[in-house]
């Protein structure tokens, strides 16, 4: 199976993108809803949770793993790569490459959680590819709770988005990376506030494309993955809110299995 | 020592109230910042975390325990009382009694996290004391992240408070219970939006008064508690934000000790 984990259910946007591009592949998802959110926590804690989550996915049949959480991708990628001996994908690198390829003036904006932005990983990776690029990053910690509350179109949400994006508008970026898997659910609202001409890079789509191209060129790995359209959805805590958001994100019936790590 | 725990650092408002009323008493605090928030999680998960937290406080010298978290108080009080054989205080009952005693028309509003409001505990306890009382409850899940971001006086915060309180204004409540330890930090803003005449009950003050009156009448328990003005502050995760908020709330230097449960 393809294993996917996230701090919560935001990572289901990655599952949705994988299902669109790799139709029929078996997927096992773990959402760490009992310890969500990761974005306000320390690197040390996020690393230890990430290692536990991957162990769990391996025990449940994962042969490759996608870290659907930007925070985990930002702070735990190195430790995870050292620890496990299977292909592991993170969401930062594919989004970075897309941004650099598509940006005209190489003025790139990045929005994400406090932990992701503090790690500086997007800026480092963009500058490694294009040293002349200008990168402007803004932490938007209130967007995750707003999405989780379903306040997608409220005027308060629009005001908060406008406030967060203001410093990026001033810098005249032409490309904006959504550096958090919750943000695609606010993509239209973000587009409206940042301006129509700005190219928005959705990290959940970028990583799904990366996984697809990897499997296309690595048949020996592809061969290990089941293709019976099986989907298992594990969470460490169940609330009504999660079930509802999971159903809306995936646009199909879901059955949440509760486990305790 | 007096043990105090909370899902995060909001419970330091209870410590502040205890320090004001029980000057010099030794206090050990545990803030479960690695698993915060509790208010959006299931009862089962909150119960299991609460039991672990109290075990930890007992190992670190607590002789009585204050559950400073409204969510834990709402859903875990019974299980905690069954499990441990020491005096344990929760924040719901004292706030409820104050509200009933001070309300004139017995139309009482309650605001809290989603889990606290869903538990219906404030309504049950108020009606047990005054069956004729009318209780109106509203979940305000965005107020915790707004406080944690320090957005105390922003226009967006004022709009969100106004929106949450609107159904309570319509009901003409004369008393409002702040059923979450984060909310006292927004007390002035809430007072402005709910109206000057409404009496606001701060559950962190109510529980501190309850602990004081218990110790005044139970010298055999009071005798067990150290009075060397010692204060230990344990958290399960450390971020800069937590240190800053802890310092602001307690108005003294703090030293955070990091432990993993």
């Amino acid at each position: 199976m393809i294993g996917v984990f996230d701090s919560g259910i935001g990572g289901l946007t990655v599952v949705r993108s994988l299902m669109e591009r790799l139709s029929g592949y078996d997927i096992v998802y773990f959402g760490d809803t009992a310890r969500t959110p990761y974005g306000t926590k320390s690197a040390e804690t996020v690393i230890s949770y990430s290692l536990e989550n991957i162990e769990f996915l391996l025990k449940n049949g994962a042969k490759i793993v996608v870290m659907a959480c930007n925070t985990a991708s930002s702070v735990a990628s190195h430790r995870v790569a050292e620890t496990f001996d299977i292909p592991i994908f993170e969401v930062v690198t594919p989004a970075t490459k897309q941004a650099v390829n598509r940006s005209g003036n190489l003025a790139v904006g990045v929005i994400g959680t406090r932990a992701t932005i503090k790690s500086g990983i997007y800026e480092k990776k963009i500058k490694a590819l294009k040293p002349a690029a200008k990168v402007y990053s803004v932490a938007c910690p209130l967007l995750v709770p707003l999405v989780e509350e379903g306040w997608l179109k409220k005027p308060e949400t629009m005001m908060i988005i406008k406030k967060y994006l203001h410093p990026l508008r001033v810098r005249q970026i032409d490309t904006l990376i959504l550096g958090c898997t919750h943000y695609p659910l606010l993509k239209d609202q973000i587009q409206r506030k940042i301006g129509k001409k700005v190219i928005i890079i959705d990290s959940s789509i970028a990583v799904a494309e990366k996984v697809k191209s990897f499997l296309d060129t690595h048949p020996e790995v592809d061969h290990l993955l089941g293709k019976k359209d099986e989907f298992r959805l594990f969470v460490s805590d169940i609330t009504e809110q999660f079930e509802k958001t999971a159903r809306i994100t995936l646009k199909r019936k879901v059955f949440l299995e509760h486990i305790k790590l």
Side-chain angles (χ1 to χ4, degrees), chain A:
Chain A
M1 301 182 99
I2 302 176
V4 181
F5 83 85
D6 181 41
S7 60
I9 44 173
L12 290 174
T13 56
V14 172
V15 171
R16 184 173 64 187
S17 297
L18 285 169
M19 285 175 170
E20 282 163 12
R21 282 159 192 79
L22 293 164
S23 175
Y25 278 64
D26 299 342
I27 297 178
V28 52
Y29 183 90
F30 174 64
D32 195 5
T33 48
R35 302 187 293 199
T36 196
Y38 286 5
T40 50
K41 286 161 194 165
S42 68
E44 192 194 338
T45 293
V46 173
I47 289 169
S48 113
Y49 290 173
S50 299
L51 296 173
E52 284 175 27
N53 298 345
I54 295 176
E55 291 276 7
F56 172 79
L57 290 172
L58 295 182
K59 273 186 210 145
N60 283 276
K63 301 297 177 194
I64 68 172
V65 167
V66 182
M67 301 169 67
C69 173
N70 273 266
T71 303
S73 295
S74 299
V75 304
S77 289
H78 278 279
R79 282 290 301 282
V80 159
E82 282 164 27
T83 310
F84 299 100
D85 200 23
I86 55 159
I88 296 182
F89 300 87
E90 42 78 20
V91 289
V92 174
T93 311
T96 307
K97 284 188 183 155
Q98 279 201 359
V100 164
N101 290 338
R102 297 182 61 188
S103 174
N105 68 6
L106 284 179
V108 179
V110 182
I111 56 175
T113 63
R114 196 182 289 290
T116 298
I117 298 305
K118 196 180 156 205
S119 76
I121 185 117
Y122 277 101
E123 184 159 0
K124 271 177 246 163
K125 289 201 181 245
I126 291 169
K127 295 215 163 168
L129 293 169
K130 296 277 180 188
K134 291 203 174 81
V135 185
Y136 306 103
S137 305
V138 177
C140 307
L142 290 167
L143 297 189
V144 169
L146 286 165
V147 168
E148 288 186 347
E149 285 311 306
W151 279 34
L152 301 179
K153 290 175 182 175
K154 301 245 180 192
E156 291 81 1
T157 305
M158 296 307 291
M159 280 175 74
I160 291 172
I161 290 173
K162 190 177 172 190
K163 179 170 275 180
Y164 280 142
L165 296 181
H166 177 72
L168 299 177
R169 277 185 77 101
V170 172
R171 301 300 189 159
Q172 299 192 303
I173 58 163
D174 77 344
T175 307
L176 175 64
I177 298 176
L178 306 185
C180 172
T181 44
H182 280 75
Y183 300 175
L185 298 169
L186 290 170
K187 191 175 174 182
D188 293 347
Q189 294 84 324
I190 290 169
Q191 185 83 68
R192 210 173 325 146
K193 291 298 177 191
I194 195 65
K196 274 184 293 188
K197 289 184 186 159
V198 173
I199 300 161
I200 291 188
I201 307 290
D202 177 339
S203 57
S204 67
I205 294 177
V207 73
E209 287 173 355
K210 168 76 189 170
V211 173
K212 181 171 183 343
S213 78
F214 175 86
L215 293 177
D216 286 346
T217 53
H218 293 77
E220 75 287 2
V221 179
D222 187 62
H223 177 72
L224 300 171
L225 302 173
K227 282 118 189 157
K228 292 177 198 149
D229 203 18
E230 203 185 320
F231 177 54
R232 295 193 72 180
L233 176 46
F234 292 96
V235 288
S236 47
D237 188 30
I238 293 187
T239 73
E240 280 165 38
Q241 201 65 19
F242 294 146
E243 272 188 278
K244 199 176 137 196
T245 311
R247 211 170 50 236
I248 291 169
T249 308
L250 293 181
K251 289 175 190 132
R252 68 190 245 178
K253 262 195 181 173
V254 294
F255 173 68
L256 274 65
E257 298 177 69
H258 186 196
I259 61 113
K260 221 193 143 177
L261 281 201

